[in-house]
Amino acid sequence: MYSPKLKVVVTEIMQETPIVKSFKLSAAEGMLPGFSPGAHITTYLETDGGLLERHYSLAGNPLQDEYYKIAVRRSETSRGGSVHWHDRMKEGDTLEISHPQNHLPLSFEGRHHVFIAAGIGITPFMAMMPQLAAEGKSFELHYAAASEEYCPFYSEIGTAYGKRVRFYFSSQRERMPTRVMWKQRIGTHVYFCGPEAMIRQFKHAALDYGYPPSSIHYELFSPPDTGPCLPFEAVLTKSNIRLRIPEDKSLLDVMLEHGIDAPYSCKMGGCGSCEIEVEQGEVDHRDFFLSDHEKNSRNVMMPCISRAKSNLLIIHA
């Protein structure tokens, strides 16, 4: 679905840790739309290698801020996005972004909220905690990082939320255990944001502890690494077109390149926005959205990240 882009100005850059910078983005004209805790934006970066789309959680206070704040971790395996933000972006630069979208909203039904973050995965919780604190609601944060020096927003979080926060630093051989979710009060909701392996571990543990799926929330900040990407072909029956999907592109990418109107949002297999029906062929499911039961019982796939186990998929699109 098309949504008009917003033009913003980088009004402040802060070095939060040796490898994380935060950026305040203000409206180039007028005011920015409000956002809800857990929301993210897509940034559109004009680089020497072409246009890059990157998604970042909004880390500011949704009750007070008239700007958007994002934090970007510099990655040694960057495909251009984090390097551009760290090395090229300057205060006063302009860029286009999407309107805020939210695939990790706070639950209004939650009686207690347990936030579990690793590294840069803290960003969505930076918007959730001030909202809950202002409303007098119950929450706690468990936050893993390499050390105090490499922990984004360490001082800010400790000062604001005190005993509600527990830090775990690998430099001190501390490990964040899944048992922080054990024996929580009835009505507790848990939220995870961090590397794929951590999310899988805590999600499975939460289910084992008896949390209903509706009380488990998570967001990926990078696509999951699920093995080699082999080329395949897809026949789109409604569009009457045959596509070849190379190793380095997703089915969704190729569909968009061919002008096919395909809805999408996160491009990481976490939101379900791009779900399409599969008429024939075996799907290599790589998303986090569908349950194991749905993957086995429904003839659908997330073309942003899932691929084919067979050489050919026939798609109802």
Side-chain angles (χ1 to χ4, degrees), residues 196 200 220 222-232 247 268-270 283-290 295 300-309:
E196 174 201 355
R200 287 189 186 276
L220 292 167
S222 61
D225 181 7
T226 50
C229 296
L230 301 177
F232 65 97
E247 298 176 12
M268 295 186 190
V283 177
D284 179 9
H285 291 288
R286 302 184 174 205
D287 66 273
F288 268 71
F289 183 78
L290 297 171
K295 290 174 182 178
V300 297
M301 71 179 292
M302 304 301 162
C304 68
I305 195 163
S306 294
R307 302 184 70 82
K309 290 184 179 178

Side-chain angles (χ1 to χ4, degrees), residues 19-285:
I19 58 172
V20 173
K21 286 184 178 181
S22 66
F23 301 82
K24 287 184 180 180
L25 309 176
S26 302
E29 295 181 358
M31 296 181 63
L32 292 172
F35 66 96
S36 56
H40 72 273
I41 57 171
T42 302
T43 64
Y44 303 94
L45 305 176
E46 296 286 352
T47 71
D48 295 338
L51 183 67
L52 293 179
E53 294 184 21
R54 294 293 184 267
H55 310 287
Y56 299 103
S57 296
L58 294 177
N61 187 337
L63 301 176
Q64 298 178 0
D65 294 344
E66 296 181 354
Y67 53 83
Y68 295 159
K69 183 177 182 179
I70 64 172
V72 182
R73 178 186 184 276
R74 184 186 178 95
S75 172
E76 295 304 320
T77 58
S78 171
R79 293 175 294 169
S82 72
V83 169
H84 184 90
W85 279 103
H86 276 251
D87 296 352
R88 302 289 294 275
M89 198 67 74
K90 305 182 300 297
E91 292 181 0
D93 284 353
T94 61
L95 69 147
E96 289 187 325
I97 64 172
S98 71
H99 284 248
Q101 302 177 65
N102 201 334
H103 303 311
L104 187 67
L106 275 170
S107 170
F108 293 108
E109 300 175 350
R111 297 180 60 188
H112 180 62
H113 305 266
V114 178
F115 303 130
I116 296 171
I120 197 65
I122 187 61
T123 49
F125 306 136
M126 294 299 294
M128 293 182 177
M129 291 187 293
Q131 176 92 40
L132 293 176
E135 295 174 356
K137 294 185 177 179
S138 177
F139 69 90
E140 62 189 80
L141 170 67
H142 297 269
Y143 185 7
S147 64
E148 290 184 14
E149 182 186 10
Y150 282 83
C151 184
F153 311 115
Y154 171 73
S155 296
E156 179 181 343
I157 291 170
T159 300
Y161 305 114
K163 294 182 179 179
R164 293 176 173 180
V165 181
R166 173 74 163 88
F167 295 99
Y168 306 82
F169 297 127
S170 58
S171 62
Q172 299 176 13
R173 298 187 178 182
E174 295 177 306
R175 182 171 180 174
M176 182 166 58
T178 60
R179 66 174 179 271
V180 301
M181 301 182 291
W182 177 245
K183 293 186 178 179
Q184 293 282 357
R185 70 191 70 174
I186 294 174
T188 293
H189 282 239
V190 292
Y191 305 75
F192 320 132
C193 190
E196 174 201 355
M198 185 210 80
I199 291 177
R200 287 189 186 276
Q201 177 191 10
F202 277 80
K203 177 186 175 183
H204 292 157
L207 292 170
D208 288 343
Y209 292 154
Y211 284 85
S214 60
S215 298
I216 302 171
H217 316 271
Y218 51 86
E219 183 174 48
L220 292 167
F221 59 81
S222 61
D225 181 7
T226 50
C229 296
L230 301 177
F232 65 97
E233 292 188 341
V235 173
L236 279 56
T237 55
K238 288 174 61 178
S239 305
N240 193 29
I241 187 172
R242 190 182 189 100
L243 303 175
R244 178 162 180 80
I245 318 304
E247 298 176 12
D248 60 343
K249 292 184 180 180
S250 69
L251 172 55
L252 176 63
D253 289 336
V254 177
M255 290 170 67
L256 295 173
E257 288 175 0
H258 283 76
I260 297 166
D261 185 17
Y264 68 91
S265 182
C266 76
K267 286 190 173 182
M268 295 186 190
C271 71
S273 300
C274 63
E275 179 182 304
I276 55 175
E277 182 181 347
V278 179
E279 297 181 5
Q280 186 176 327
E282 190 175 3
V283 177
D284 179 9
H285 291 288

